[in-house]
Amino acid sequence: MAEAAAFPFPSDHPLHPAPALAEARKGGAPVRVRLPFGDPAWLVTRYEDAKAVLSSPSFGRDAHRAGIPEERTARIGPIDVSDRTIMTMDPPRHTQVRGLVGKVFTPRRVERLRPWTRGVAERLVTGMQEEGPPADLVRHLALPLPIEVICELLGVPSSDRDSFHAWSDAFLSTADRTPDRVRESQARIDAYLAEMAALRRDDPDGGLVGALAREHHEGSRLNEEELLGLLRALLIAGHETTASLIPGFFYVLFKEDGFTRLATDPGLVSAAVEELLRLVPLIRPGSFTRYALEDTVVGGVGVPAGDQVVVELSAANRDPDAFADPDRLDFERGRTPHLAFGHGLHHCVGASLARMELQVALETVAERMPGLRPAVPLEELRWNEERFVRSAESFPVSW
């Protein structure tokens, strides 16, 4: 067997796929890679192979169930920040827990939140206009919009939102951090969430947090670790992902001259969001490893039980066998579904919410600020590559 290559592969920009990913995809079969931590893994880059792994019962997300100790799990950070959350559960537990939260994020419920979200976006854009150019798109819109939405949905008081974001930012950073420091950040978040859950448990208007706290208190379907892990995942993922995607979207729109089209025809926003989700990588390469629960075959390669598989969604979303001219921004692209939100059992439970927020952000800016443009050359933007999600440190814009 060939020696495992170091992964993630080098790239000239955080939002540009590494050339070695395309080479691996051309080869067809999965290749062996070694992540910064843990055992070697198989790297899957083709669209059809990615869908197969993500939907196959031969693979799980629970390393403990697969008999793989933490020190052997293939991962990019000192510990897996998704460990012991809904993201690492397998059926039947995953099915039970997801059922408790899935009804909150249905398209119908999310749509009822759209007018309120648009109001928040309007207020934020007005604040940016009043401050005048150049303004930071991250500070004025990309960060506060999703924080306000998820905190409103889960009931986090306005006075606590800045503190929570600081804890979340520390928790998701992968730079120069030991497992002890990761766990320290997690402990701070969990202490806050435990207090909030206790306060909301007996409140009829306690919303989702109160409902989940009652599930734990009444015995039952959530133990304390699961309750805190679920709340942590919902609150962090519910704002970090969208906050990171918004500047990535504008980077691609400016780079490919797509924003002018949106400003001219806001009716393209929904299609643009789907195309940008396909093109803009979010999660750092090597996240969300799958574990083979039995001997199986992927892309013509035998994968023994106990082996680990990394599905690189950014490569699958640019597979020319699935998307014609895959590196081009095309608002009229066909209906082949992208995998930005995953696939199968672990398809992102908050996908509808993220889509709505991204649509509102692009639509509001395109309508209110049709002359928006970067205030610095795009190549001068600084991106934080030492976090679980890729994010711009700032994004100066003018109009």
Side-chain angles (χ1 to χ4, degrees):
M1 181 180 297
E3 183 178 353
F7 189 79
F9 299 142
S11 173
D12 64 356
H13 189 280
L15 300 188
H16 299 167
L21 284 174
E23 291 302 313
R25 192 176 53 225
K26 286 178 185 177
V31 297
R32 293 290 275 175
V33 294
R34 180 176 289 281
L35 276 69
F37 299 88
D39 288 355
W42 295 100
L43 175 67
V44 169
T45 53
R46 294 180 64 248
Y47 180 84
E48 290 299 333
D49 291 343
K51 286 181 63 178
V53 171
L54 296 178
S55 61
S56 172
S58 297
F59 291 94
R61 277 285 292 136
D62 185 347
H64 311 283
R65 176 185 173 212
I68 301 173
E70 180 178 339
E71 64 270 14
R72 287 183 46 215
T73 57
R75 60 197 188 281
I76 57 172
I79 67 172
D80 182 353
V81 297
S82 66
D83 193 28
R84 293 177 174 83
T85 69
I86 190 174
M87 292 180 281
T88 56
M89 292 179 182
D90 286 340
R93 195 63 183 136
H94 175 269
T95 307
Q96 296 167 344
V97 174
R98 187 179 175 108
L100 298 174
V101 296
K103 58 187 177 183
V104 176
F105 295 99
T106 63
R108 179 176 296 181
R109 285 179 177 267
V110 166
E111 279 305 306
R112 290 207 291 265
L113 196 60
R114 184 184 290 267
W116 181 88
T117 305
R118 176 65 189 237
V120 173
E122 292 275 2
R123 171 168 51 82
L124 294 172
V125 167
T126 296
M128 183 161 60
Q129 291 174 321
E130 289 176 347
E131 181 170 306
D136 182 4
L137 189 68
V138 172
R139 180 170 65 88
H140 282 283
L141 180 68
L143 187 57
L145 177 65
I147 286 180
E148 290 208 30
V149 172
I150 196 63
C151 288
E152 176 72 16
L153 192 63
L154 296 185
V156 175
S158 299
S159 57
D160 294 345
R161 294 177 186 183
D162 287 346
S163 295
F164 178 81
H165 174 68
W167 299 334
S168 167
D169 189 65
F171 179 60
L172 291 179
S173 175
T174 59
D176 301 324
R177 297 201 310 127
T178 65
D180 285 344
R181 291 194 63 190
V182 175
R183 294 187 181 99
E184 179 184 349
S185 299
Q186 178 179 322
R188 291 184 180 182
I189 296 171
D190 286 354
Y192 173 84
L193 293 172
E195 181 179 359
M196 184 170 69
L199 291 172
R200 299 298 175 85
R201 188 185 68 205
D202 299 321
D203 183 353
D205 298 321
L208 176 61
V209 172
L212 293 174
R214 285 189 291 275
E215 290 289 343
H216 163 57
H217 182 67
E218 292 165 9
S220 68
R221 295 192 284 173
L222 283 177
N223 61 41
E224 183 172 9
E225 182 179 62
E226 289 171 336
L227 171 64
L228 295 178
L230 183 56
L231 292 176
R232 190 188 330 121
L234 291 173
L235 206 48
I236 293 177
H239 82 270
E240 288 283 356
T241 52
T242 309
S244 298
L245 282 170
I246 289 173
F249 277 20
F250 278 95
Y251 170 85
V252 174
L253 286 171
F254 290 143
K255 186 173 183 290
E256 303 298 333
D257 199 28
F259 183 73
T260 302
R261 282 199 67 195
L262 282 189
T264 303
D265 184 2
L268 291 171
V269 162
S270 291
V273 165
E274 297 309 307
E275 179 70 343
L276 290 163
L277 282 167
R278 184 184 70 83
L279 285 172
V280 177
L282 173 63
I283 304 299
R284 287 191 69 197
S287 304
F288 299 145
T289 304
R290 261 64 182 180
Y291 311 105
L293 303 175
E294 60 188 12
D295 293 348
T296 187
V297 175
V298 178
V301 171
V303 178
D307 272 18
Q308 305 182 61
V309 173
V310 171
V311 177
E312 185 47 48
L313 298 178
S314 66
N317 277 333
R318 293 181 183 242
D319 186 345
D321 289 340
F323 306 96
D325 197 4
D327 295 326
R328 181 168 61 91
L329 178 68
D330 182 2
F331 295 159
E332 284 82 28
R333 189 172 293 281
R335 295 186 57 82
T336 302
H338 60 73
L339 302 177
F341 292 121
H343 182 69
L345 290 175
H346 284 280
H347 181 271
C348 177
V349 69
S352 294
L353 182 66
R355 279 190 168 96
M356 183 273 288
E357 292 178 69
L358 292 165
Q359 290 166 4
V360 166
L362 291 192
E363 184 178 68
T364 305
V365 173
E367 291 178 0
R368 294 278 307 274
M369 308 179 78
L372 193 75
R373 61 189 183 276
V376 298
L378 290 175
E379 59 270 20
E380 292 183 10
L381 296 176
R382 297 180 61 187
W383 300 80
N384 191 329
E385 299 183 66
E386 300 298 339
R387 302 179 77 249
F388 185 64
V389 291
R390 316 180 203 213
S391 59
E393 295 182 4
S394 65
F395 200 133
V397 291
S398 296
W399 54 91

